[in-house]
Amino acid sequence: MHDEVAAYVLGVLDEDEHEAFERHLDTCKRCQAELIELAELPEELDELKNAPAASDDEPPRSMSR
């Protein structure tokens, strides 16, 4: 995976990096596929961040895809 794919999905690229990655994305099928795989990542992270804390008695919740 290109590091830029995850950074792009999470919105942490600066303006120049963002524009450069979008130009790259136009022609890179591999990054396009990785982008599709990671598209739900920000939403999943928000769900985890906002989920109530699990008690010690409960097993960790698994994330479904």
Side-chain angles (χ1 to χ4, degrees):
M1 174 186 342
H2 289 108
D3 293 337
E4 291 85 6
V5 177
Y8 179 83
V9 168
L10 294 172
V12 297
L13 297 176
D14 66 30
E15 186 176 334
D16 291 337
E17 293 169 326
H18 180 90
E19 291 174 5
F21 181 75
E22 286 192 336
R23 286 191 301 274
H24 169 77
L25 193 57
D26 286 339
T27 60
C28 183
K29 299 294 183 193
R30 181 176 158 203
C31 284
Q32 291 170 11
E34 290 175 7
L35 182 60
I36 291 168
E37 288 180 29
L38 295 177
E40 295 179 11
L41 184 60
E43 183 179 313
E44 291 173 351
L45 291 173
D46 282 342
E47 287 176 14
L48 286 174
K49 181 175 74 174
N50 296 321
S55 72
D56 292 335
D57 297 336
E58 296 178 28
R61 292 176 24 190
S62 65
M63 294 181 64
S64 62
R65 294 200 135 241

